[in-house]
């Protein structure tokens, strides 16, 4: 389903498209750069902040565009390393954006490295059995402006906390597209948004610091391999054989491992980069030592890094996290291969299924209040 907002978002405009709109109004070409500089470099929060533009031009901008197409509903700070922001879009849809801090010795949490996990869709059609975000299916794709705006909102928030951020333009270190939705199912809008973030007139954010995570849409992986911007790729594998993967990821029927693995290989050969295999460990589903051995073989063959993520319980779903002993035994098989492996405790929703629950809870509260 598509959502057509009353006004397009300025955060969805490129330098070229904005220049063309301004030209129709008889404005000189340099105006577009000036306006985008206000948005991305000077972090203008209102049209009136753009003080070197004439009043009539500011009025036209306000009539023509939304400065930001989403508003912050909740800012949920956790006591650990993960903060969650809940945004409301123009059609009242809700999305979560997550800030994950990597604690560094001698550095306060606010100053530590930050990875921002953004959402590319409202809901998700992929129906992975362990995931809160897929429970109600796909509502709609986000447009490029909504995707970019999640990161600008994070910049506003982090700028207020750390002076370092202002100087480096982007107030974070990495972007992972692992929030709600299947990124490659909203391919065009996502690439448009990431191109805006990467542009010198945008946030100037390096493509090598952006990771796209997919449940395994093979044709789109092959298309991504041809993109000139060299993004990083993570695969939500979660099953090392078709039999196990199919139980929890319906996408495996259309794209079984015999198709998925060659596509991953093609991507990493094209970009010369290590791909990451995400693997949520779920008790008695995919945590057997046979699965560990099969995963080891796949990872070794692809020279891939493996992220093991013990499952986080989702209300209403029956799955459980394996014991710590089981997790370690599983990881040991990979470590001894040797395969590059991390046993993680915290990350975004399709690696940390507990994400997406702030949105679900808010939607339930709204339904109860109606
Ligand atoms: S894990 Fe990712 S791809 Fe699967 S249903 Fe959830 S959001 Fe969609």
């Amino acid at each position: 389903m598509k959502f057509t907002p009353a006004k397009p978002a300025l955060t969805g405009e490129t330098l070229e498209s904005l220049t063309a709109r301004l030209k129709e109004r008889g404005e000189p070409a340099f105006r577009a750069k000036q306006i985008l500089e206000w948005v991305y470099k000077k972090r203008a929060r209102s049209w009136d902040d753009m003080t070197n533009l004439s009043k009539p031009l500011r009025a036209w901008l306000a009539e023509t565009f939304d400065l930001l197409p989403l508003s912050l509903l909740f800012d949920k700070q956790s006591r650990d390393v993960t903060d969650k922001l809940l945004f409301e879009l123009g059609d009242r849809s809700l999305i979560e954006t997550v800030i994950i801090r990597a604690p560094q010795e001698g550095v306060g949490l606010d100053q530590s490295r930050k990875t921002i996990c953004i959402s590319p869709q409202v809901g998700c059609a992929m129906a992975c059995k362990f995931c809160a975000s897929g429970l109600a299916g796909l509502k709609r794709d986000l447009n490029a402006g909504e995707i970019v705006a999640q990161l600008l909102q994070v910049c506003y928030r982090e700028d207020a906390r750390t002076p370092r951020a202002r100087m480096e333009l982007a107030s974070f270190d990495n972007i992972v597209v692992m929030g709600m939705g299947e990124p490659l199912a909203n391919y065009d809008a996502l690439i448009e948004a990431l191109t805006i973030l990467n542009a010198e007139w945008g946030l100037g954010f390096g493509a090598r610091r952006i990771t796209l995570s997919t449940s395994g849409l093979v044709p789109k992986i092959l298309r991504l391999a041809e993109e000139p911007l060299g993004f990083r790729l993570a695969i939500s594998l979660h099953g090392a054989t078709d039999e196990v993967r199919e139980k929890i990821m319906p996408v495996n029927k259309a794209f079984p491992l015999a198709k998925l693995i060659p596509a991953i290989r093609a991507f990493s050969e094209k970009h010369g980069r290590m791909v990451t295999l995400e693997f949520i460990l779920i008790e008695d589903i995919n945590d057997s030592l046979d699965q560990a051995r099969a995963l080891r073989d796949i990872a070794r063959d692809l020279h891939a890094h493996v992220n093991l993520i013990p499952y986080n319980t989702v209300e209403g779903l029956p799955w459980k996290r394996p014991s710590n002993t089981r997790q370690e035994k599983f990881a040991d098989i990979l470590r001894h291969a040797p395969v590059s492996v991390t046993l993680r405790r915290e990350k975004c929703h399709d690696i940390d299924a507990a994400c997406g629950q702030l949105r679900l809870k808010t939607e339930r509260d709204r339904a109860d209040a109606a």
Side-chain angles (χ1 to χ4, degrees):
M1 196 186 101
K2 277 232 175 284
F3 165 61
T4 312
K7 291 188 255 183
L10 190 58
T11 46
E13 297 294 318
T14 62
L15 179 62
E16 295 70 32
S17 66
L18 189 58
T19 304
R21 295 296 299 271
L22 289 161
K23 208 171 158 195
E24 285 167 18
R25 252 195 120 247
E27 296 285 344
F30 69 84
R31 280 279 182 255
K33 237 183 177 169
Q34 226 172 13
I35 293 167
L36 294 173
E37 189 165 278
W38 275 113
V39 175
Y40 295 104
K41 299 193 169 56
K42 299 183 187 164
R43 313 272 210 255
R45 303 289 292 270
S46 79
W47 303 109
D48 286 336
D49 284 348
M50 304 183 181
T51 45
N52 61 357
L53 306 182
S54 69
K55 274 196 176 167
L57 178 55
R58 276 186 261 161
W60 176 81
L61 285 168
E63 258 168 45
T64 311
F65 297 105
D66 260 339
L67 186 53
L68 277 189
L70 44 73
S71 50
L72 182 64
L73 220 54
F74 287 123
D75 183 334
K76 198 173 172 207
Q77 295 186 40
S78 64
R79 268 169 296 166
D80 60 16
V81 295
T82 311
D83 294 345
K84 292 180 184 178
L85 308 181
L86 185 72
F87 293 116
E88 184 177 62
L89 307 175
D91 60 354
R92 296 201 75 218
S93 295
L94 301 174
I95 52 167
E96 272 184 34
T97 302
V98 183
I99 302 167
I100 308 149
R101 295 169 202 282
Q104 289 161 260
E105 217 170 299
V107 177
L109 259 192
D110 273 343
Q111 273 74 39
S112 60
R113 292 179 68 78
K114 296 168 204 97
T115 296
I116 314 304
C117 178
I118 58 170
S119 296
Q121 296 183 306
V122 182
C124 185
M126 305 314 292
C128 302
K129 299 271 198 295
F130 48 82
C131 171
S133 296
L135 281 178
L138 176 69
K139 186 169 173 195
R140 70 170 173 91
D141 288 333
L142 296 195
N143 59 42
E146 291 167 328
I147 297 171
V148 172
Q150 292 175 61
L151 291 150
L152 257 189
Q153 285 272 15
V154 171
C155 286
Y156 298 160
R157 180 188 194 264
E158 297 302 312
D159 285 352
R161 295 169 163 235
T162 157
R164 173 193 79 102
R166 283 260 180 196
M167 307 207 286
E168 291 200 357
L169 201 53
S171 313
F172 43 80
D173 304 281
N174 298 292
I175 298 172
V176 291
V177 192
M178 291 185 186
M180 175 170 45
E182 162 54 61
L184 300 189
N186 187 17
Y187 192 96
D188 292 338
L190 180 63
I191 298 298
E192 207 180 313
L194 298 181
T195 305
I196 291 172
L197 291 164
N198 173 258
E200 164 273 319
W201 47 262
L203 274 188
F205 196 81
R208 278 174 302 133
R209 294 193 281 151
I210 302 175
T211 303
L212 278 64
S213 170
T214 177
S215 59
L217 300 184
V218 165
K220 298 287 174 60
I221 293 172
L222 296 173
R223 190 172 160 198
L224 191 67
E226 300 305 320
E227 289 292 338
L229 292 177
F231 303 113
R232 291 185 177 275
L233 180 67
I235 305 289
S236 298
L237 198 65
H238 312 322
T241 55
D242 284 326
E243 194 201 351
V244 169
R245 197 164 191 262
E246 240 169 68
K247 273 192 211 160
I248 47 176
M249 298 187 72
V251 67
N252 197 70
K253 285 207 173 69
F255 302 115
L257 294 173
K259 289 185 179 167
L260 179 58
I261 289 170
I264 301 171
R265 188 178 297 114
F267 182 94
S268 60
E269 280 172 3
K270 181 94 190 180
H271 287 276
R273 297 247 169 81
M274 201 181 230
V275 169
T276 297
L277 305 176
E278 308 283 0
F279 204 96
I280 293 181
L281 286 170
I282 309 175
E283 187 180 81
D284 294 336
I285 298 292
N286 64 359
D287 65 337
S288 72
L289 300 187
D290 281 348
Q291 279 291 295
R293 287 181 204 105
L295 177 59
R296 170 198 66 195
D297 294 346
I298 293 172
R300 222 166 22 188
D301 171 42
L302 291 171
H303 303 292
H305 175 78
V306 174
N307 260 343
L308 296 175
I309 310 104
Y311 186 70
N312 271 330
T313 316
V314 173
E315 204 186 312
L317 295 181
W319 320 103
K320 284 198 208 132
R321 129 190 318 227
S323 67
N324 284 355
T325 316
R326 182 54 134 194
Q327 295 169 26
E328 287 298 337
K329 277 191 176 163
F330 194 103
D332 276 347
I333 289 181
L334 293 146
R335 288 179 189 127
H336 293 147
V339 163
S340 162
V341 60
T342 330
L343 179 56
R344 289 199 172 247
R345 307 283 170 195
E346 293 295 337
K347 232 185 167 189
C348 304
H349 98 268
D350 84 337
I351 13 182
D352 169 359
C355 291
Q357 296 200 76
L358 179 58
R359 167 183 170 258
L360 274 185
K361 186 182 172 308
T362 310
E363 285 196 332
R364 280 181 194 140
D365 290 351
R366 273 180 175 179
D368 290 346

